[in-house]
Amino acid sequence: MASLKHLLGIGGLNPITVTNLLDLAESYVLLNRSGKTQRDSLRGRTLINLFFEDSTRTRTSFELAGRRLGADVVNMSVATSSVTKGETLLDTAATLNAMNCDLLVVRHNRSGAPALLAEKVGAAVINAGDGTHEHPTQALLDALTMRRHKGRISGLTVAICGDIAHSRVARSNILLLTMMGNFVRLIGPPTLLPGSIGINGVEIFHSMEEGLKGADIVMALRLQKERMSGGLVPSSREFFAYYGLDRKKLAYAKPDALVMHPGPMNRGVEIDSDIADDDARSLIKEQVEMGVAVRMAVLDTLARSSNI
Amino acid sequence: MSILFRKICYLDESAQNLVEGDLLVRDGLIADFGQNLGRPDGAEIIEAEGAVLCPGLVDMRASLGEPGFEYRETITSAAEAAAAGGITAIAVLPDSAPPIDDPALVHLIIARGQETGSVSLLPYAAATRGLNGEELAEYGLLRAAGAVAFTDGGKTIASSRLMRLALSYASGFGACIVQHPEDVELAKGGAATAGARATWMGLPGIPAAAEAICVARDIRLAELTGGAVHFAHVTTGEALALIRTAKDKGLRVTCDTAPPYFDLNETAIGDYRTYAKLSPPLRAEEDRQAVLAALRDGTIDAIASDHQPRDADDKRVPFADAAPGGAGLATLLGITLAHVQNGGLTLPQALALLTKKPAAWLGIEAGIIAKGRPADLCLFHPERSWQVQAGKLPGKAQNTPFDGRALEGLVLGTWKDGKRAFAR
């Protein structure tokens, strides 16, 4: 496998690395399901979950992944105001170096913060979400989920709906899906779509009816409450009416289209409970399961390419 | 006390033609120049074949950090950087702490410049009291104290009503208002020019149109009031087109730009390089080319360093939190000359934008080589090379957006009133 020092984003990976990570993750899915969850490939190694932003599910997922590979896992939550002072970040880096941390999982509310840390720490850095930049393990777990259900991760039409402009999940998914040869359709109100994308294989729509046409996968994104207070959309009621994923709108997609959501969901805002809880159409629970397997694959790969 | 520069090239009085010859400095003034001035008794002889002797650079826009931000730069350290960059006069922005909004502070800046012995400091005064954007500063008293013009520095005078009043009131004293042209509401929270790059880096964007919107409004207000407006560090083709049209109409509109805006584009912020985070932000390549074209056709009146000293704590933080601004004194000449070498500008054009034109705008006796003028001079070799290295720049501020850049055009010496301010 190509040597990978950090995982800061999907940008920087190539299709071979992605395929290798997905294949490795697939093997962990099978092991996890068979009940043989304990491995020792990270025995004696220290994984630190450094979260400057709250996220129970991502942190837990990394924690579980680390423990299943035998690592010592430490969780550090750093309470911050909305503006995190960089000195804190670099001081933290110095502290982590002193602790001989091997794998550092970072979530931060500022784009580029994991990249800044990666320059200063000896550990392999995994970006667990930075600002509105990237969330690479989410895109990998989404890809694994799609591949398991559609049998491939190329030539698919994937519609991503809602607040694209502020979504790191959307960015990582767009990068991964286009790199692997899929078609991406972005659907949302103009105020929540980036003005400029600049890559091939991506189309933009403002109507769910047009945008969902022919979609194999429909991915709804979380709409943050502050987008409403910021005036980007007038109300959650109006947003749901035009962009909320319900059964009527899902009918515009392919008959066998499947639904995904990175969580946590705002039921009745970007997705209707009726769809979210429909196991025949919704992959949302499976996404969580894939999350652990993908993170095991990422940790294992980084640990191996760093120095074992 | 005399100095004879022998066999150097200099611009003649028209500032159009480069001629080879000698130049004699006596008692701090330019005494004579021409072919073969002989060897006056007792004169220090400086021979520099192939070197160009130009007027000391006149930098019409820089922040110096003092008073209030001495951890970033002091007047002493800025003077050192200026001298190494061939600069002998700096128009200083008022965004210090306290801001320069009182005649006593104007006197202070001028006096601190004189103390350096190497650079004249020409203070801008605040356009609004305390730079608060709410009420006019005392333009009459500040002007009498020596303020060259009025500006809120890196802050836009946002209120249309206040901008109208400022232009109108300043015109009564024959003074100009210098605007940081950026629509404040559109720029709020932004860290990079809106576009594909900002999108993929996950950075809040500032639309390039924020500049043109402000420029359009202020041109209209200048027309309304008969006042004079100067747009600082203009960066977009759209704003430059508006300025070009306003000049053609005979309105009292001028502008400058800074080296990053004709030398770099937004790709320089890749990998979250905070030294390339500037205000206004670096633009798309089309805009960079539009700035170069406007330098060529005379729409832009001057090239300023736009020196904004920042220290490591300001810059070693996530990109969105980093303080914008780049160090510019030491690279003003070198980056400009790079565009002479690649054919973008002629040497007389480039030098006029760094000397004669800003001096004329500021109304100071500098910027041309003429008998009886103060001997503020810069001697540089256009073909000798050096490398820009953050950490090794003269002065205190090291936050250069040009880190690692190899440049041709080395300053060999700088003289202020005939006294050597810098020697390589």
Side-chain angles (χ1 to χ4, degrees):
Chain A
M1 186 167 290
S3 176
L4 200 59
K5 171 87 175 92
H6 306 287
L7 180 66
L8 300 176
I10 297 298
L13 298 186
N14 58 48
I16 295 167
T17 311
V18 170
T19 303
N20 287 341
L21 284 169
L22 296 182
D23 290 348
L24 184 59
E26 180 67 38
S27 73
Y28 285 128
V29 173
L30 301 176
L31 279 168
N32 287 342
R33 284 189 179 175
S34 72
K36 290 183 248 165
T37 53
Q38 288 307 307
R39 326 283 307 159
D40 60 1
S41 54
L42 294 187
R43 177 109 22 239
R45 303 195 147 255
T46 304
L47 183 159
I48 296 182
N49 273 324
L50 181 61
F51 277 60
F52 292 88
E53 242 184 21
D54 286 340
S55 163
T56 311
R57 80 172 50 209
T58 304
R59 200 205 61 221
T60 309
S61 181
F62 271 107
E63 184 173 353
L64 205 50
R67 289 197 198 284
R68 284 188 176 168
L69 293 172
D72 296 321
V73 181
V74 181
N75 291 318
M76 288 176 69
S77 291
V78 186
T80 52
S81 60
S82 60
V83 177
T84 302
K85 289 295 173 211
E87 210 39 41
T88 313
L89 194 62
L90 293 192
D91 286 348
T92 309
T95 308
L96 294 168
N97 278 339
M99 290 177 182
N100 294 317
C101 163
D102 299 297
L103 292 153
L104 181 64
V105 175
V106 185
R107 168 162 294 191
H108 200 284
N109 65 353
R110 290 300 196 203
S111 302
L116 182 62
L117 269 174
E119 283 174 26
K120 306 288 172 188
V121 297
V125 174
I126 297 122
N127 179 2
D130 63 328
T132 55
H133 177 224
E134 280 229 45
H135 191 355
T137 56
Q138 179 71 44
L140 287 165
L141 75 88
D142 288 342
L144 182 62
T145 311
M146 289 179 215
R147 195 174 78 167
R148 290 177 65 87
H149 283 268
K150 295 292 175 188
R152 62 190 200 278
I153 189 68
S154 62
L156 298 174
T157 298
V158 180
I160 306 177
C161 320
D163 184 4
I164 315 288
H166 303 92
S167 173
R168 54 198 175 207
V169 173
R171 280 171 181 70
S172 289
N173 264 300
I174 296 166
L175 289 171
L176 187 148
L177 291 168
T178 53
M179 186 210 307
M180 302 303 285
N182 300 282
F183 306 101
V184 176
R185 315 182 114 212
L186 306 178
I187 314 167
T191 48
L192 295 181
L193 285 166
S196 189
I197 297 282
I199 54 175
N200 294 330
V202 181
E203 280 185 282
I204 290 185
F205 298 90
H206 305 305
S207 134
M208 291 285 267
E209 182 166 3
E210 287 170 35
L212 290 183
K213 218 167 278 173
D216 296 293
I217 299 281
V218 183
M219 190 182 292
L221 298 172
R222 181 178 170 79
L223 181 74
Q224 309 275 356
K225 292 273 187 297
E226 64 256 30
R227 305 302 167 222
M228 252 90 77
S229 56
L232 296 177
V233 278
S235 69
S236 57
R237 176 172 81 169
E238 175 148 311
F239 184 83
F240 184 73
Y242 287 89
Y243 300 101
L245 188 62
D246 56 14
R247 206 164 284 280
K248 179 166 170 269
K249 296 194 195 86
L250 183 59
Y252 301 134
K254 277 191 185 165
D256 63 347
L258 295 170
V259 173
M260 300 174 73
H261 190 295
M265 288 180 280
N266 289 311
R267 292 166 180 267
V269 180
E270 70 266 0
I271 192 163
D272 193 357
S273 286
D274 177 40
I275 297 285
D277 299 334
D278 178 354
D279 287 343
R281 304 301 294 273
S282 165
L283 302 177
I284 297 170
K285 275 177 267 176
E286 188 171 329
Q287 283 175 273
V288 179
E289 183 193 355
M290 293 308 115
V292 178
V294 153
R295 285 162 185 137
M296 288 172 78
V298 167
L299 294 174
D300 203 2
T301 303
L302 287 176
R304 263 188 279 162
S305 60
S306 63
N307 67 352
I308 291 179
Chain B
M1 246 214 47
S2 325
I3 309 169
L4 180 71
F5 293 92
R6 291 194 68 212
K7 292 184 181 170
I8 41 88
C9 292
Y10 59 92
L11 284 177
D12 65 9
E13 254 164 305
S14 72
Q16 295 298 319
N17 310 305
L18 207 59
V19 294
E20 202 183 292
D22 302 347
L23 184 143
L24 180 68
V25 171
R26 189 179 293 132
D27 301 328
L29 302 176
I30 296 169
D32 199 5
F33 48 84
Q35 304 300 313
N36 242 331
L37 297 186
R39 284 178 179 264
D41 280 350
E44 178 192 355
I45 309 281
I46 293 172
E47 282 205 44
E49 230 177 312
V52 176
L53 188 67
C54 71
L57 274 49
V58 178
D59 179 4
M60 70 175 295
R61 181 181 177 83
S63 287
L64 300 189
E66 186 182 335
F69 302 98
E70 288 82 357
Y71 66 95
R72 291 172 167 170
E73 190 91 274
T74 64
I75 285 173
T76 307
S77 70
E80 186 197 328
I87 298 165
T88 53
I90 301 176
V92 183
L93 292 173
D95 45 6
S96 49
I100 309 304
D101 64 352
D102 189 278
L105 292 165
V106 173
H107 287 303
L108 171 81
I109 299 292
I110 295 170
R112 292 285 287 113
Q114 285 161 351
E115 279 171 32
T116 68
S118 65
V119 63
S120 305
L121 298 185
L122 310 157
Y124 287 106
T128 70
R129 205 184 286 264
L131 307 176
N132 62 12
E134 285 164 16
E135 48 187 336
L136 297 183
E138 298 164 314
Y139 293 177
L141 297 174
L142 290 162
R143 184 106 171 123
V148 288
F150 300 93
T151 181
D152 279 357
K155 286 172 77 179
T156 307
I157 301 164
S159 153
S160 305
R161 175 183 168 276
L162 193 66
M163 187 62 178
R164 178 189 177 185
L165 288 177
L167 286 165
S168 174
Y169 188 67
S171 71
F173 295 102
C176 181
I177 300 293
V178 177
Q179 177 71 297
H180 167 75
E182 190 172 53
D183 183 278
V184 171
E185 285 284 316
L186 286 175
K188 197 178 278 174
T193 297
R197 177 155 297 270
T199 296
W200 288 109
M201 291 179 73
L203 296 174
I206 301 172
E211 181 172 281
I213 287 168
C214 182
V215 165
R217 180 198 75 170
D218 290 350
I219 286 173
R220 193 63 193 83
L221 290 174
E223 191 173 14
L224 178 70
T225 57
V229 65
H230 177 90
F231 297 107
H233 46 211
V234 179
T235 61
T236 64
E238 197 185 352
L240 288 163
L242 291 165
I243 292 166
R244 199 172 283 127
T245 308
K247 287 183 157 193
D248 288 346
K249 279 171 81 175
L251 299 178
R252 299 171 67 197
V253 174
T254 52
C255 69
D256 69 76
T257 194
Y261 302 114
F262 60 84
D263 189 75
L264 300 174
N265 63 29
E266 59 184 350
T267 59
I269 66 169
D271 297 328
Y272 301 99
R273 286 188 61 236
T274 55
Y275 279 10
K277 181 179 179 182
L278 308 176
S279 174
L282 290 170
R283 303 296 189 188
E285 173 62 14
E286 307 87 83
D287 280 322
R288 183 190 75 84
Q289 290 184 16
V291 172
L292 259 184
L295 286 169
R296 272 194 296 271
D297 73 15
T299 303
I300 296 175
D301 299 277
I303 299 171
S305 75
D306 209 11
H307 185 69
Q308 294 288 334
R310 300 287 179 258
D311 85 340
D313 290 349
D314 296 321
K315 290 290 192 181
R316 262 190 234 145
V317 291
F319 195 89
D321 298 329
L329 295 172
T331 49
L332 174 61
L333 180 65
I335 298 291
T336 305
L337 288 177
H339 292 271
V340 173
Q341 279 132 19
N342 69 22
L345 298 169
T346 66
L347 185 61
Q349 262 177 339
L351 291 179
L353 287 160
L354 294 169
T355 58
K356 185 185 175 189
K357 289 180 156 188
W361 188 91
L362 291 163
I364 57 170
E365 269 221 330
I368 57 168
I369 287 185
K371 286 178 195 169
R373 288 290 182 103
D376 292 357
L377 298 166
C378 162
L379 183 70
F380 66 93
H381 200 294
E383 280 152 28
R384 281 180 62 182
S385 60
W386 63 291
Q387 191 181 26
V388 183
Q389 277 180 286
K392 292 186 178 170
L393 291 175
K396 202 164 183 178
Q398 299 296 321
N399 54 308
T400 172
F402 302 107
D403 190 20
R405 181 70 174 275
L407 291 175
E408 281 179 23
L410 186 69
V411 176
L412 304 174
T414 306
W415 289 262
K416 177 71 186 169
D417 293 321
K419 278 198 310 208
R420 190 135 194 169
F422 172 76
R424 174 140 326 260

